Amino acid sequence: MNIPRKRKSLALLFFGLALNFFAAAQNSYQYTVDLTKAADDKLTVNLVTPAIEKNEIKFYLPKIVPGTYMNSNFGKYVQSLEAFDKAGKKLPVQKAGDNGWTIRNATRLNRLNYVVEDTWDATIKNMVYPMCGTSFEAGKNFVLNTPGVFGYFEGMREKTFQLTFTKPAGFFAATGLIPASSNATQDVFSCSNADHLYDSPIMYSLPDTAIVRVGKTDVLIAVYSPKKMATAHFIAQNLQNLLLGAKDYLGGKLPVDKYAFIFYFNGEQPKLEVSGAWEHSYSSFYSLQEAPEKESIGYWVSIAAHEFFHIVTPLTISSKEVKQFNFNETVLSKHLWLYEGSTEYYSQHMQAWTGIITPEEFLASMAQKISYSRSAMNDSLSFTELSKESAGKHAEQYGNVYMKGALISACIDLRLLELSNGQYGLRQLKHDLSINYGKDKYFEDDSLFSMIEKLSYPELTPFFKDHVEGGQPIPYEKYFALAGVSYIASETYQDFSLGGLKLNPNPEGKVTVGIADVNDFGKKMGYEEGDILVSFNDSLVTNANLDNRIDQLFDKAKEGDVLAVKVNRKQPDGRMLEKVLQAPLFKIERVRKHLLRFMPNPTAEQLRIRNVWLNNHAPVAAAMK
Ligand SMILES: [Zn+2]
């Protein structure tokens, strides 16, 4: 499955040179970056500029980029920007805000150069999501999210951008871009405008790649995993099912000819505060903590599914705010329920629909979203208002787009299936919307709901009014019941417990006990505040293995089995003393909240919707398992 590294023919090289010449005549941006000269996590960027017709011009790096819903301020990472005329004479440059520079005598402008620092290691006070940021590790790896490296001139974002990289020996460019030319030391890429440029991340490193062919689409999987804990081959094997499923889910064909999953696994940088991924039209870039692939593949597949489905929303169906994206002002659409919410819903629903996960696992993932959105988020905030202000006053509610946003989509899907007798759901609606708008046409934010009602059912109006524009919490019991699924807000059950302890990691990697909410079993055991766990029934306990140990402990436990917990307890004189606490196990009453469960005796109507919703009779599901 590895891509053989081919020597490019002379003819192709020549074509590359010819293209250079042609591009110059076309008045494009011509960027060159020498990756072999990176030092201190910085790169020098050279630009031969297109001809400027104004005497004064602004040069920008983006303040915000599509799909991020926060201000990144990439201009803050640029240092010592200089402008020159053809004779090499310096032109006056003045900083204009965080992300811009004003260049005077600009009609004479011929080239710019600047130094750019990577966002992952920079010490300046600013926050860029790692999956949208940059990392320049000389000789190892370069994460080039292009908005963090390249800029554009005001009013000139429609010109061609040509990028020439000089690369270290053996390095490979993982990207959705198709190189204009490539040889052992240099790659040249061309982007048709600034939107295309910023939609195209590139990662350079020694290659670990695989290709999956899905119908007519070639999908590249490229991996950088410094400790070799993750491999392109293994991820490709696991993404294959997902991509075949996605093809069926989207009606039998993937909407792109080429796609690249670019995975960076962090095993050598300080731990990144956030891990995640950023979607693009022909690729997605992942910044994840390095971990054993067999343990983490489920999570990686889910996040890959989410990013992949972004090719539908917002990359095909979106409003003016997205399609005519303003890189230098924060103007957001109010339909994050569609861009992020329905994408997240697709990523989970599609896995159930094709049999990659079980229907129960799917319900559990939806229930978790209800729980999170009701316990940690404001469930009464208008969702359209949250979207508009997700980079501003509602930034702390942004996480809800993956929770309630997905649930809004689930409810619309179920309601449509009800109204259409199982004939028309969210998949059909999004298909119709993408035909109606397509990649090059946007909708006005205010017209989306009426367009949906026109394409599908006007009966959706109250749902949009009350639960998407309005702040009324969604009555989940009503919507999930359509498919014979009960929503249970809270229920009690009997189960074993360690004692109702608060378990906190301590600096030595052990676990400290808190007894504020200790239950009857905990009282029997006789824990004291500050006890440090040593072992459960002679199996040593650390913070790292705690969850596993608890699972093992209760897996086969019976009433009356004796639980022995060894703890270290601080004595009045400060010494630590080992103590064994023990008691026969008994079950205690516990509470669980926000559950979704299949009704054991659904009506024929409910069963019919459930079967369509979960594709219960699909031959695909059997083939995929
Ligand atoms: Zn997303």
Side-chain angles (χ1 to χ4, degrees), residues 279 306-307 310 340 402:
E279 78 275 13
H306 175 102
E307 300 312 324
H310 271 310
E340 289 301 336
Y402 303 103

Side-chain angles (χ1 to χ4, degrees), residues 417-478:
L417 289 173
E418 181 207 19
L419 290 164
S420 66
N421 255 325
Q423 300 297 307
Y424 192 98
L426 186 65
R427 289 189 309 128
Q428 286 78 11
L429 172 63
K430 282 176 73 168
H431 177 79
D432 286 351
L433 283 169
S434 67
I435 287 176
N436 204 59
Y437 296 111
K439 222 170 157 31
D440 301 317
K441 200 171 142 198
Y442 57 76
F443 59 78
E444 295 289 343
D445 246 13
D446 285 336
S447 68
L448 179 66
F449 292 139
S450 50
M451 177 53 82
I452 288 177
E453 287 148 17
K454 200 173 116 195
L455 288 172
S456 61
Y457 291 86
E459 287 89 336
L460 285 178
T461 309
F463 182 84
F464 290 134
K465 272 220 161 63
D466 296 344
H467 307 303
V468 187
E469 290 186 304
Q472 288 181 38
I474 302 172
Y476 293 116
E477 53 282 354
K478 175 176 149 192

Side-chain angles (χ1 to χ4, degrees), residues 6-26:
K6 276 187 255 167
R7 275 183 165 276
K8 297 284 174 190
S9 69
L10 274 177
L12 203 59
L13 265 179
F14 180 74
F15 177 71
L17 291 173
L19 193 84
N20 280 351
F21 183 74
F22 185 61
Q26 287 245 333

